Amino acid sequence: MAKVSNQVSSSYFSRKEHWESSRWHPRRYGRIWLGCLLPALIVVFWEFASRQGLVEAYQLPAPTVILTKLIELTQSGELAGHIYITVYRVFAGFLLGSVVAIILAVLVGFWRKAEYIFDPIIQAFRSIPSLAWVPLFILWMGIGESSKITMISVGVFFPVYLNLVSGILTVDRKLIEVGKMYKLSFLQQVWRIVLPASLPSFLIGLRSGLGLGWMFVVAAELMGASQGLGYLLVLGQNTLSPETILVSIVLFAIIGKLSDWVLKLLEARLLRWQDRFVRGG
Amino acid sequence: MALVLEQVSRTFNQVKAVSDVNLTIQAGEIVGLLGTSGCGKSTLLRAISGLDQHYTGSIVLNDHVITGIHDTIGFIFQEPRLLPWLDVKANITFGLKGAPADEIERALRFIDYVGLTGKEALYPRQLSGGMAQRVAIARALVTSPETLLLDEPFSALDAFTKMQLQDLLLRIWQKYQTTMVLVTHDIDEALYLCDRIIILKGQPGTVVDDIKIKQQRPRDRGSVELAQYKTDILAKLEINNG
Ligand SMILES: Nc1ncnc2c1ncn2[C@@H]1O[C@H](COP(=O)(O)OP(=O)(O)O)[C@@H](O)[C@H]1O
Ligand SMILES: [Mg+2]
């Protein structure tokens, strides 16, 4: 009896091993393979549903229609301009917001008086939903670039600031003592211990700041713009062209993901030393 | 050339942790501070190191009252306390302030000395507990301290690694004659390493005995003499008749 079951399991294993060494095994192409499965199915089903007239084309055009629109916009040269201006706005807002956040966070993190001065007001402003500023900024700065970039930087500011401050304030006291034993000056301690130690949390702040930057650029461009991916959304709505809206949405997804990926690469490079939880399987 | 503690006491929130410690440590001596947990060993060591300055009494090193952290004192903590973003080599040179070329040369010498050759480029997360503590030892040695303070440096390690590192410490002592103050709660460790064992007891901790271990080093961990000392110490700590 035992022998039989033994044989069964061994043949099971040999088949399993064969599968494991095959080039289609999830372990080799695994993540991409598994990750593409659902989107591919959805797209196929969507195309099918559109062609069969199960959904109305003026509400949800077929993937091929969207693709055609994308190609059309690319060839007319329009799209590059929209993408450029949107990326420019996000980048400028991200830079501005991060720089202000870093300066304030370093002040607050290292100097208790600065914390007493700045932190209450920053916390108070934080409770205002940032989008509520939009009308005011437009009133102050018009609908030009400066109001949009300011808006985006407000969105970027908070996550960067909050994460960096908490990173600085939670540096392990034990490591600071090591610095003290070697008589590091205050600036050396900041540079050689506190900043590297708060880098992980700073990078988390940057990444969520960038995510908010993309959210805010949409808001800013919806409010009033004559160019940009957000403007395409408005245009699509006004010209009853859902494919334009969907082109814009897809591009937001792709570019947003790409920019996050750049930060992720930077993070992986800078945090090579980190001991991180790795999921099995 | 000595380290002298006069009437050192330390109070935390109105509660006395150590009380009136008087102690003279000669240059080149290895002195153990032995006592049960919570009797103020770490507190005393931190006072000597200058990390804690809120004690009363005075601590004199080479005829100068210590008022802060001293260049010639090195500290090895219970945990390695390596900087996780620096590799082994950079961790070891952390305390050096010389020219980079000299630093690297010096670091390499100590990497070899503590037995970490080939591991220079590893990050702390890639090290075992014993290896990490070796790095910490090298980091403390690289600045050539005259006095080394060690706070239960091996208590988190397994028995074999512990013995290896104890021998490493003795080799260091033979080579540099570094004065060492070793805090421990491990009687065997104290007996194996120390010229003198100061026994602390009570809360607040006070010095209850000062035992000279006259045996020549290297000592035999299993020798009858050491076993006799151990019985005496256990009696002093009143652990056996509890
Ligand atoms: N920073 C501190 N704040 C308050 N109490 C402390 C502090 N450090 C140590 N103590 C107290 O002092 C006593 C001695 O502690 P410690 O020196 O760490 O003991 P040991 O190292 O001998 O185990 C303990 O009762 C401990 O609670
Ligand atoms: Mg202790």
Side-chain angles (χ1 to χ4, degrees):
Chain A
M1 232 353 243
K3 203 159 199 177
V4 173
S5 81
N6 224 342
Q7 266 172 355
V8 169
S9 72
S10 81
S11 87
Y12 164 77
F13 275 120
S14 73
R15 243 160 87 199
K16 193 169 163 231
E17 271 160 29
H18 176 73
W19 162 234
E20 277 179 355
S21 59
S22 99
R23 66 199 197 96
W24 295 110
H25 188 269
R27 194 163 303 149
R28 294 188 72 177
Y29 289 89
R31 295 197 53 177
I32 304 170
W33 208 75
L34 288 176
C36 290
L37 201 64
L38 213 51
L41 276 178
I42 290 173
V43 168
V44 169
F45 177 74
W46 176 2
E47 183 74 33
F48 171 79
S50 303
R51 295 229 172 151
Q52 296 298 310
L54 295 178
V55 284
E56 299 288 355
Y58 70 86
Q59 284 181 329
L60 185 63
T64 42
V65 177
I66 298 169
L67 197 64
T68 317
K69 184 74 188 176
L70 180 67
I71 292 166
E72 181 194 313
L73 282 172
T74 312
Q75 280 170 348
S76 72
E78 248 177 281
L79 198 57
H82 292 306
I83 292 176
Y84 168 76
I85 193 77
T86 298
V87 170
Y88 161 75
R89 283 166 185 156
V90 172
F91 186 72
F94 180 66
L95 210 64
L96 180 65
S98 304
V99 167
V100 176
I102 291 167
I103 293 171
L104 279 177
V106 167
L107 273 178
V108 167
F110 289 113
W111 189 36
R112 198 174 293 269
K113 278 230 176 70
E115 182 182 349
Y116 296 157
I117 295 170
F118 291 115
D119 211 52
I121 190 170
I122 290 174
Q123 297 298 340
F125 273 82
R126 188 162 78 105
S127 59
I128 302 170
S130 309
L131 289 178
W133 294 107
V134 177
L136 201 59
F137 286 164
I138 290 177
L139 201 68
W140 286 345
M141 296 175 257
I143 56 166
E145 293 309 310
S146 42
S147 68
K148 293 190 183 62
I149 289 170
T150 311
M151 269 226 43
I152 295 164
S153 62
V154 168
V156 172
F157 173 82
F158 286 102
V160 178
Y161 170 82
L162 294 170
N163 280 287
L164 185 53
V165 168
S166 96
I168 291 172
L169 294 183
T170 56
V171 173
D172 192 351
R173 187 186 52 81
K174 292 178 169 177
L175 295 184
I176 305 266
E177 276 188 358
V178 172
K180 281 197 182 139
M181 272 323 289
Y182 291 104
K183 294 177 101 172
L184 297 192
S185 69
F186 175 71
L187 279 182
Q188 285 172 324
Q189 252 178 58
V190 169
W191 185 246
R192 298 186 61 188
I193 299 178
V194 179
L195 288 184
S198 46
L199 193 61
S201 121
F202 174 56
L203 287 169
I204 289 174
L206 282 187
R207 277 179 75 185
S208 44
L210 187 63
L212 279 184
W214 281 104
M215 210 165 101
F216 278 63
V217 80
V218 177
E221 289 181 345
L222 281 179
M223 292 300 164
S226 54
Q227 237 194 340
L229 291 175
Y231 164 74
L232 277 189
L233 293 172
V234 182
L235 185 73
Q237 185 191 8
N238 293 342
T239 57
L240 302 179
S241 157
E243 56 273 22
T244 309
I245 297 177
L246 283 161
V247 163
S248 165
I249 288 176
V250 169
L251 285 174
F252 267 124
I254 293 171
I255 300 171
K257 188 75 201 166
L258 270 180
S259 65
D260 184 58
W261 180 70
V262 170
L263 277 189
K264 216 170 144 180
L265 280 186
L266 186 76
E267 190 179 88
R269 176 90 186 79
L270 290 175
L271 301 185
R272 269 173 316 180
W273 49 270
Q274 226 181 16
D275 198 0
R276 282 213 245 184
F277 173 64
V278 181
R279 258 179 314 179
Chain B
M1 289 289 276
L3 178 65
V4 182
L5 278 68
E6 284 166 359
Q7 294 295 108
V8 174
S9 304
R10 174 67 160 102
T11 306
F12 294 106
N13 317 316
Q14 278 97 48
V15 181
K16 232 180 192 171
V18 283
S19 174
D20 303 320
V21 171
N22 293 298
L23 195 59
T24 302
I25 293 168
Q26 299 301 331
E29 240 184 337
I30 305 182
V31 172
L33 298 181
L34 184 69
T36 48
S37 180
C39 70
K41 305 183 294 294
S42 300
T43 305
L44 211 49
L45 206 62
R46 290 171 60 82
I48 298 173
S49 72
L51 280 173
D52 176 27
Q53 289 169 21
H54 300 284
Y55 56 89
T56 57
S58 66
I59 298 176
V60 181
L61 180 68
N62 303 337
D63 304 324
H64 295 286
V65 175
I66 295 184
T67 52
I69 284 154
H70 215 276
D71 280 328
T72 61
I73 295 181
F75 203 119
I76 296 176
F77 300 91
Q78 182 171 0
E79 331 77 26
R81 299 200 185 183
L82 305 181
L83 303 174
W85 53 90
L86 298 180
D87 64 16
V88 166
K89 196 176 10 180
N91 261 296
I92 290 175
T93 53
F94 184 78
L96 289 178
K97 295 185 176 103
D102 295 350
E103 283 193 10
I104 288 168
E105 201 265 323
R106 240 183 119 65
L108 289 178
R109 194 138 41 91
F110 279 96
I111 285 171
D112 179 47
Y113 196 61
V114 300
L116 286 169
T117 310
K119 313 263 192 269
E120 296 87 349
L122 295 184
Y123 285 99
R125 74 178 154 91
Q126 297 165 305
L127 304 176
S128 68
M131 279 153 76
Q133 201 57 292
R134 283 170 196 267
V135 176
I137 292 172
R139 177 176 65 187
L141 288 178
V142 98
T143 51
S144 316
E146 286 169 19
T147 307
L148 207 51
L149 308 176
L150 305 103
D151 191 355
E152 306 193 8
F154 311 134
S155 63
L157 304 175
D158 64 85
F160 300 107
T161 313
K162 195 188 254 191
M163 289 186 215
Q164 284 176 347
L165 292 192
Q166 287 165 353
D167 287 327
L168 171 64
L169 217 56
L170 287 183
R171 283 205 302 281
I172 291 164
W173 181 81
Q174 264 154 14
K175 189 159 177 184
Y176 300 98
Q177 304 293 306
T178 315
T179 311
M180 297 190 190
V181 184
L182 171 74
V183 161
T184 182
H185 57 230
D186 180 342
I187 302 179
D188 296 315
E189 177 170 279
L191 286 172
Y192 185 65
L193 295 174
C194 300
D195 297 305
R196 261 165 75 205
I197 300 177
I198 311 295
I199 297 180
L200 292 168
K201 213 175 89 176
Q203 266 161 346
T206 49
V207 174
V208 296
D209 208 348
D210 184 338
I211 303 173
K212 266 206 154 58
I213 311 292
K214 295 205 186 76
Q215 270 204 329
Q216 203 67 31
R217 281 190 294 253
R219 297 173 184 155
D220 174 5
R221 291 179 196 270
S223 79
V224 182
E225 288 90 338
L226 292 193
Q228 186 55 48
Y229 278 121
K230 186 170 180 176
T231 315
D232 288 350
I233 292 171
L234 284 172
K236 295 254 162 52
L237 288 169
E238 291 168 350
I239 290 173
N240 276 350
N241 28 343

